[in-house]
């Protein structure tokens, strides 16, 4: 293993995070608050990382294993340093709680231990929402966009961080791919910010809500989330953009280069939009008696479906009080999630499509053993390696759900709360049902459960393998 290169990359990541903290420090100064928590953290990070990156390693090659380890270690390091401003400012005095909140931010989960949000300093709340935007596209993708790197090294890093069963370059050069992805990401974020301003949402609120929506994270600066604004226009805007950020970003690139035919035949996109439409319709009909008008019902249903399908985790209503049928639908879309290559979490639409098609192929093979059945996506055969990887991922995914649910059940909460908390964290959604529903939070969990759920958020964001590889003894064994 190329340890020198691994440490060098971690040093680069630390410097990038230190630079990003300049933004909340500036916001704190603008609002007459102390920027000391951010400046102290930045100084610590620079003192630790600059000596590491001054001398570049001669051997810059990394392979798949190093790519996974770099991704997992980077996210752990980002979170550990990112929690310091919360502790130093006194906003979250307990480091475990601060780490939980920070990991929830970077992984775009949106699960919170905070019971009171609006009284916190503006700079701290900006950093809290900004972590969503940073984590949405991925800090390693950002690093690849701003730093030159050979395609071999870059591809391993991209594969380890970008969510979904397939991670392909959209142009031959890896750096150009990262630049295009971030360009699209920034353009959509700016469009959302302007749209929110047009709904007469305050400037600061528009900015932080744009960050949280773009990263499909869901941290709000209001105790009642987006529902606090009582602004139907803003709800429609945020719901629409949550849906847009759940789309594979390759689709936007295809639109830019006018390959409309490839967009139309994209199976994952079609299923994603149809699933959203059907779920919204079913929830609307099931909750008609809960709202004064049909328009209010449709808006609320669409918002809650998109916020959980995109794993953003915002709320405009306490859906925990809705009928069981609607809650079941919301739980299902939470698990399925959005498209691969988006900022959203969940199993991913493409992975579910592949799993279902492979299931039907197995049934046909059992009935007619000599028949030849090929699983196809967008008209192209799916390699056996992808089929096996999908099956393995889903198996590990459900095994982790069982283990995490058992561990946090030691706290004595209901089965509904424990299962919902596990699903909400592993799918990077945030709010679930029961005590962790849209009207609740994770504050009551024990320190052990918070650590378990913190790791679960990281495992979910990095799609299991990087974290398992990082903590596997075999990874560090010589030979």
């Amino acid at each position: 293993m190329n340890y020198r290169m691994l440490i060098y990359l971690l040093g680069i990541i630390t410097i990038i995070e230190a630079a990003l903290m300049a933004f909340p420090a500036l916001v704190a100064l603008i609002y007459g608050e102390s920027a000391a928590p951010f400046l102290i953290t930045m100084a610590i990070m620079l003192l630790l990382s600059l000596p590491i990156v001054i001398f570049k390693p001669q051997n810059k090659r990394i392979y798949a294993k190093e790519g996974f380890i770099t991704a997992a270690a980077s996210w752990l390091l980002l979170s550990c340093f990112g929690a310091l401003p919360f502790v130093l400012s006194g906003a979250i005095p307990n480091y475990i709680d601060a780490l939980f909140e920070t990991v929830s931010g970077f992984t775009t989960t949106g699960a919170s231990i905070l019971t009171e949000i609006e009284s916190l300093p503006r700079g701290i709340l900006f950093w809290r929402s900004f972590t969503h935007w940073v984590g949405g596209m991925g800090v390693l993708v950002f690093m690849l966009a701003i730093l030159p790197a050979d395609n071999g090294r870059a591809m391993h890093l991209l594969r380890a961080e970008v969510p979904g069963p397939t991670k392909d370059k959209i142009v031959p050069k890896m750096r150009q791919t990262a630049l295009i992805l971030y360009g699209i990401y920034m353009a959509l974020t700016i469009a959302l910010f302007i749209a929110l301003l047009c709904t007469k949402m305050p400037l600061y609120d528009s900015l932080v809500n744009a960050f949280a929506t773009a990263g499909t994270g869901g941290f709000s600066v209001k105790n009642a989330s987006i529902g606090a604004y009582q602004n139907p226009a803003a709800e429609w805007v945020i719901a629409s953009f949550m849906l847009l950020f759940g789309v594979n970003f390759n689709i936007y690139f295809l639109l830019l280069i006018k390959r409309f035919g490839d967009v139309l035949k994209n199976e994952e996109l079609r299923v994603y939009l149809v699933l959203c439409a059907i779920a919204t319709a079913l929830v609307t009909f099931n909750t008609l008696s809960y709202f004064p008008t049909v328009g209010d019902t449709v808006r609320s249903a669409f918002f809650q479906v998109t916020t959980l399908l995109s794993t953003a985790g915002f709320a405009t209503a306490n859906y925990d009080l809705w009928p069981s049928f609607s809650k079941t639908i919301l739980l299902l879309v939470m698990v399925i999630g959005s498209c691969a290559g988006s900022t959203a979490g969940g199993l991913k639409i493409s992975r579910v499509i592949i799993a279902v098609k492979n299931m039907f192929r197995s049934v046909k093979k059992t009935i007619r053993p000599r028949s030849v059945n090929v699983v196809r996506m967008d008209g192209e055969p799916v390699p056996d390696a992808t089929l096996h990887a999908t099956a393995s991922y889903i198996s590990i995914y459900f095994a982790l759900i069982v283990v995490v649910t058992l561990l946090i059940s030691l706290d004595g909460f209901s089965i509904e709360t424990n299962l919902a908390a596990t699903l909400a964290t592993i799918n990077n959604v945030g709010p679930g049902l029961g005590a962790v529903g849209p009207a609740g939070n994770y504050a009551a969990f024990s320190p052990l459960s918070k650590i378990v759920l913190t790791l679960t958020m990281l495992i979910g964001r990095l799609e299991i393998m990087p974290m398992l590889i990082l903590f596997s003894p075999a990874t560090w064994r010589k030979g």
Side-chain angles (χ1 to χ4, degrees):
M1 187 183 295
N2 191 348
Y3 289 103
R4 181 68 187 88
M5 188 60 191
L6 173 61
I7 294 171
Y8 175 77
L9 289 174
L10 293 179
I12 293 292
I13 292 294
T14 306
I15 291 174
I16 290 174
E17 185 178 19
L20 292 173
M21 274 196 191
F23 293 103
L26 179 60
V27 170
L29 291 174
I30 289 172
Y31 285 96
E33 301 166 354
S34 173
F38 300 106
L39 298 177
I40 292 171
T41 305
M42 291 166 66
I44 292 171
M45 287 190 288
L46 292 174
L47 284 172
L48 292 174
S49 58
L50 285 176
I52 294 173
V53 301
I54 288 174
F55 303 102
K56 294 183 179 181
Q58 293 182 345
N59 178 12
K60 295 183 180 180
R61 291 295 300 177
I62 62 171
Y63 299 94
K65 182 169 73 172
E66 284 97 331
F68 284 121
I69 293 172
T70 300
S74 295
W75 282 74
L76 279 171
L77 197 65
L78 280 171
S79 302
C80 290
F81 283 124
L84 291 179
F86 291 109
V87 177
L88 295 173
S89 66
I92 307 178
N94 183 288
Y95 184 78
I96 291 177
D97 285 350
L99 183 62
F100 181 96
E101 198 80 9
T102 307
V103 169
S104 182
F106 278 123
T107 60
T108 72
T109 303
S112 181
I113 52 83
L114 293 172
T115 55
E116 167 56 36
I117 298 169
E118 295 177 28
S119 61
L120 295 180
R122 294 289 188 97
I124 289 294
L125 289 178
F126 181 92
W127 173 240
R128 183 171 174 263
S129 296
F130 191 49
T131 56
H132 279 335
W133 194 83
V134 173
M137 186 58 66
V139 70
L140 294 181
V141 177
F142 180 73
M143 182 181 73
L144 296 177
I146 63 175
L147 297 175
D150 66 84
N151 272 15
R153 182 176 87 211
M155 196 61 198
H156 290 310
L157 294 175
L158 184 72
R159 287 182 183 277
E161 187 178 59
V162 177
T166 57
K167 297 95 177 170
D168 296 322
K169 295 180 288 184
I170 57 180
V171 292
K173 290 188 179 295
M174 193 65 253
R175 188 183 182 191
Q176 288 180 353
T177 295
L179 281 169
I180 290 170
L181 288 173
Y182 253 98
I184 295 170
Y185 189 44
M186 292 181 71
L188 284 172
T189 305
I190 293 169
L192 170 57
F193 171 63
I194 294 171
L196 288 175
L197 286 176
C198 292
T199 68
K200 298 183 179 179
M201 183 178 283
L203 176 66
Y204 175 85
D205 297 53
S206 296
L207 185 59
V208 292
N209 285 324
F211 287 149
T213 304
T216 60
F219 275 157
S220 175
V221 292
K222 299 291 184 181
N223 293 328
S225 191
I226 302 303
Y229 295 100
Q230 295 294 300
N231 187 337
E235 291 176 22
W236 279 113
V237 167
I238 290 174
S240 300
F241 272 89
M242 286 190 292
L243 193 66
L244 290 174
F245 280 104
V247 173
N248 190 322
F249 274 60
N250 286 10
I251 295 293
Y252 297 123
F253 178 71
L254 292 175
L255 289 173
L256 287 173
I257 60 175
K258 299 181 180 180
R259 286 171 54 179
F260 303 118
D262 290 338
V263 173
L264 291 174
K265 77 174 187 179
N266 187 276
E267 197 170 347
E268 183 181 40
L269 178 63
R270 294 201 305 270
V271 171
Y272 174 59
L273 296 177
V274 169
L275 176 62
C276 180
I278 292 174
T280 300
L282 291 174
V283 172
T284 297
F285 285 119
N286 191 231
T287 58
L288 278 171
S289 62
Y290 284 70
F291 297 91
T293 67
V294 174
D296 289 337
T297 311
V298 172
R299 186 180 74 250
S300 185
F302 179 60
F303 192 97
Q304 307 318 316
V305 167
T306 53
T307 196
L308 295 180
L309 182 62
S310 69
T311 70
F314 280 128
T316 57
N318 186 1
Y319 54 79
D320 202 28
L321 302 177
W322 288 1
S324 295
F325 180 72
S326 291
K327 289 196 290 184
T328 302
I329 291 173
L330 294 177
L331 200 65
L332 287 173
V333 298
M334 176 196 300
V335 171
I336 294 171
S338 293
C339 303
S342 68
T343 62
L347 274 173
K348 302 294 183 301
I349 299 287
S350 58
R351 192 175 276 122
V352 172
I353 293 172
I354 291 171
V356 171
K357 288 187 174 184
N358 197 28
M359 178 185 69
F360 281 114
R361 186 184 76 155
S362 298
V363 172
K364 291 177 182 177
K365 197 73 176 175
T366 302
I367 298 171
R368 296 184 178 85
R370 294 185 180 180
S371 64
V372 177
N373 298 290
V374 179
V375 175
R376 295 180 181 274
M377 276 282 288
D378 303 333
E380 299 293 328
V382 178
D384 286 340
T386 302
L387 295 178
H388 293 317
T390 300
S392 298
Y393 180 91
I394 293 174
S395 299
I396 299 171
Y397 171 86
F398 282 107
L400 283 169
I401 288 172
V402 172
V403 172
V404 173
T405 303
L406 281 172
L407 286 173
I408 66 173
S409 67
L410 294 171
D411 286 355
F413 291 106
S414 67
I415 294 175
E416 180 187 53
T417 294
N418 293 330
L419 181 59
T422 301
L423 291 174
T425 50
I426 199 169
N427 290 302
N428 303 130
V429 178
L433 299 172
V436 295
N441 55 52
Y442 292 74
F445 279 101
S446 67
L448 175 62
S449 291
K450 287 173 183 173
I451 292 171
V452 170
L453 293 173
T454 296
L455 290 173
T456 304
M457 288 187 278
L458 286 166
I459 288 170
R461 173 58 180 83
L462 293 176
E463 304 228 313
I464 299 175
M465 283 305 168
M467 292 299 293
L468 292 187
I469 290 172
L470 179 66
F471 290 110
S472 172
T475 300
W476 307 102
R477 201 175 294 141
K478 292 184 178 181

